Amino acid sequence: MQRLRERAEHRRTELEQLDFDAAPTQLQRIMQEMQVQQIELEMQYEELLTAHAEAENLRARYTDLFDFAPVGYASIDVLGMVQELNLCGAKMLGTTRHRLTNRRFLQFIAPDSRPEFLRFMIDVLATDDPITLEVEMLRADDTRLRVCLHGIALPDPKGTRLCRLAMIDVSAEHQARTERVQGEERFQAYLDASPDGMLLLRGNHVAAANARAAALFGVATPHDLTSRHLATFAPPVQPGGESSSSRAAFDEAVAAAVRAGHARFDWQARPAATADELTLEVTLTAIDRNGPAVVLATCRDLTELRRTEQRQRAATDDLLHLSLRAAERGLWTWDPTTDRLYLDERAQQTILGPTRPAPARATLATLLEALHPDDRQQARLDITGALHTPEPVQMGWRAVWPDGSEHYVATLGHAVCEATGGQPLCFNGLVREEQLEM
């Protein structure tokens, strides 16, 4: 107002230049005051027009923001009646705004969610803090959608408290959560129904397990396996010589499963609080290879099966050795990967001689050194070549016994190869002594 007064005084100074000398002094003063007041009113009117224009501009911007917001907005009075609703809110409810204004908002809440919504409205109007609720809502065509409501109480121009609602459609997120929960429930049901021990491994540690797994590893409940590494339920050393305590053998098997998608191996386990050992067939299936690997481990107790196989194998070996002894033949095996040579008693006597003991760790060199110097190179070529021959191979060399006598040994054998790839694993041969031709 002071600024307006100063502007009016300036206008009055300009008017003083007009000719008022002929008028009485009092009249002249009154006219001057009236002119100043007129100028003040004109300027106030100009200010009001400017303020009104700014207010209209702000109102238009607010209306645009309100109407075209990507989420639904609504104002609800204390009686639950819709006072305002934006376009997104009307679209969410499947009708137009004029059909929703002054209607009870509760009509658009699914019946099973209405008690929660009423408590939500009471809480919102009773406090100044924002409150959130997720409810099922009904569209005009009775279809449902899942909506997250964010409510806060604010006064209207008359001072009456209104509930300002922001409505966000979370139907897709809710459906994803529901499907995830259902998937987890089905997966848990699958685990519980399996006759094998089932464990879900995350980062090589147990994240979930079934009751059968708990029984296999000697714990009371599946929860007792959670966050534990399976190496804690194993003897210090596995049958193949791998260390269990370092966890490296099991972790490498999990890594192989992640790389290939699956892996299978035998694992020696020792249940908690017992000295007994179990032979488990572990099948690993990679479920998620991103981030910490998620792997499903199926553990099947093969202890009795492996013991039966071992007894049968021992009985078969006894029969084989009896047959070989009756036929005066010995058995020898060479592993090219480890260069380990196995000679049974008959083969040892035939090749090395009856008085020469076999070394603790026999190799191919052990066999070659027992042969005549002129036959060693050919024997090496015969044996290494036989590894890549699919058919049985017959070979013969002269063995020199410790007493200097020469004995002709004949061998018939074949290579054992991998089922896939054909990589030779070992060479198995039968050996017998034949008379040297003079």
Side-chain angles (χ1 to χ4, degrees):
M1 294 301 294
Q2 180 62 30
R3 185 167 59 86
L4 288 174
R5 182 73 179 180
E6 291 174 356
R7 291 172 61 186
E9 289 289 345
H10 178 70
R11 293 287 295 273
R12 186 182 68 81
T13 301
E14 293 177 348
L15 292 173
E16 284 178 350
Q17 299 176 4
L18 300 177
D19 185 13
F20 290 105
D21 294 338
T25 302
Q26 185 177 9
L27 178 60
Q28 184 178 357
R29 182 178 57 79
I30 293 173
M31 290 182 65
Q32 290 176 349
E33 288 292 333
M34 292 179 64
Q35 289 170 351
V36 170
Q37 291 179 7
Q38 180 180 359
I39 294 170
E40 287 180 353
L41 290 173
E42 290 175 354
M43 291 182 175
Q44 289 178 9
Y45 180 68
E46 291 175 1
E47 292 289 339
L48 288 174
L49 288 178
T50 301
H52 178 72
E54 292 178 354
E56 285 295 322
N57 184 40
L58 290 174
R59 183 177 181 277
R61 292 172 60 187
Y62 165 79
T63 302
D64 287 344
L65 291 174
F66 180 80
D67 281 342
F68 299 105
V71 298
Y73 287 121
S75 296
I76 303 175
D77 62 20
V78 294
L79 298 178
M81 309 296 288
V82 178
Q83 300 301 313
E84 291 181 289
L85 187 69
N86 71 345
L87 294 174
C88 182
K91 183 178 179 181
M92 289 173 63
L93 298 178
T95 185
T96 57
R97 283 191 289 184
H98 75 275
R99 293 183 177 180
L100 298 172
T101 306
N102 293 323
R103 291 182 61 183
R104 292 179 64 84
F105 192 79
L106 191 65
Q107 294 177 346
F108 302 100
I109 304 296
D112 50 346
S113 295
R114 287 175 183 174
E116 290 180 276
F117 176 75
L118 291 175
R119 287 193 297 270
F120 166 77
M121 286 293 298
I122 293 171
D123 293 339
V124 169
L125 294 173
T127 180
D128 294 330
D129 298 327
I131 300 177
T132 301
L133 176 67
E134 192 171 305
V135 295
E136 291 279 340
M137 295 192 68
L138 294 174
R139 292 190 178 93
D141 59 359
D142 289 334
T143 59
R144 292 195 174 204
L145 71 160
R146 192 77 176 183
V147 177
C148 183
L149 302 178
H150 299 270
I152 188 170
L154 295 174
D156 65 2
K158 298 179 181 180
T160 304
R161 289 173 71 83
L162 295 177
C163 176
R164 306 286 188 180
L165 280 183
M167 302 179 291
I168 302 175
D169 187 352
V170 293
S171 300
E173 293 85 344
H174 177 71
Q175 180 67 22
R177 288 198 305 269
T178 301
E179 291 177 355
R180 184 174 64 251
V181 171
Q182 292 175 347
E184 291 174 353
E185 291 175 349
R186 287 194 296 269
F187 180 72
Q188 189 61 50
Y190 168 72
L191 292 184
D192 294 339
S194 174
D196 299 322
M198 307 289 287
L199 305 105
L200 192 65
L201 306 180
R202 182 176 285 108
N204 297 357
H205 290 74
V206 179
N210 65 353
R212 177 57 180 159
L216 280 176
F217 292 103
V219 296
T221 66
H223 181 72
D224 296 328
L225 292 172
T226 305
S227 301
R228 301 182 71 173
H229 195 287
L230 289 189
T232 59
F233 300 97
V237 179
Q238 291 293 309
E242 305 92 346
S243 173
S244 302
S245 57
S246 67
R247 304 185 179 183
F250 192 85
D251 291 348
E252 175 55 33
V254 174
V258 173
R259 290 191 299 267
H262 61 88
R264 180 177 294 175
F265 58 94
D266 281 2
W267 180 259
Q268 205 72 12
R270 180 178 292 169
T274 179
D276 297 334
E277 294 186 6
L278 302 177
T279 300
L280 302 180
E281 181 189 62
V282 181
T283 302
L284 301 178
T285 305
I287 297 177
D288 187 358
R289 306 184 193 185
N290 300 320
V294 179
V295 176
L296 177 64
T298 303
C299 301
R300 180 168 297 175
D301 186 0
L302 300 183
T303 305
E304 288 302 320
L305 177 62
R306 292 290 185 264
R307 288 173 180 170
T308 301
E309 290 176 349
Q310 187 175 6
R311 289 192 295 267
Q312 292 175 346
R313 189 162 48 248
T316 302
D317 290 344
D318 287 343
L319 290 174
L320 175 61
H321 286 297
L322 288 173
S323 299
L324 292 175
R325 181 175 299 178
E328 297 183 346
R329 282 175 169 79
L331 175 67
W332 65 280
T333 300
W334 178 57
D335 183 347
T337 304
T338 61
D339 192 23
R340 294 295 297 270
L341 179 69
Y342 166 76
L343 300 165
D344 71 359
E345 182 180 359
R346 185 71 180 182
Q348 179 178 333
Q349 293 178 357
T350 302
I351 299 174
L352 304 182
T355 61
R356 179 188 296 170
R361 189 185 187 281
T363 64
L364 181 60
T366 305
L367 185 149
L368 297 177
E369 289 171 359
L371 301 181
H372 192 283
D374 295 341
D375 292 354
R376 291 173 184 171
Q377 182 63 26
Q378 185 61 45
R380 181 184 294 275
L381 294 175
D382 289 343
I383 296 172
T384 55
L387 291 175
H388 306 284
T389 303
E391 301 297 329
V393 178
Q394 188 166 359
M395 300 170 284
W397 318 292
R398 289 171 294 172
V400 180
W401 289 3
D403 60 4
S405 59
E406 296 183 4
H407 302 265
Y408 187 81
V409 292
T411 289
L412 176 65
H414 68 93
V416 178
C417 301
E418 290 181 342
T420 58
Q423 186 70 18
L425 299 175
C426 66
F427 181 84
N428 293 330
L430 295 175
V431 62
R432 66 185 179 87
E433 182 183 357
E434 294 186 356
Q435 295 295 325
L436 282 171
E437 296 181 0
M438 302 302 293

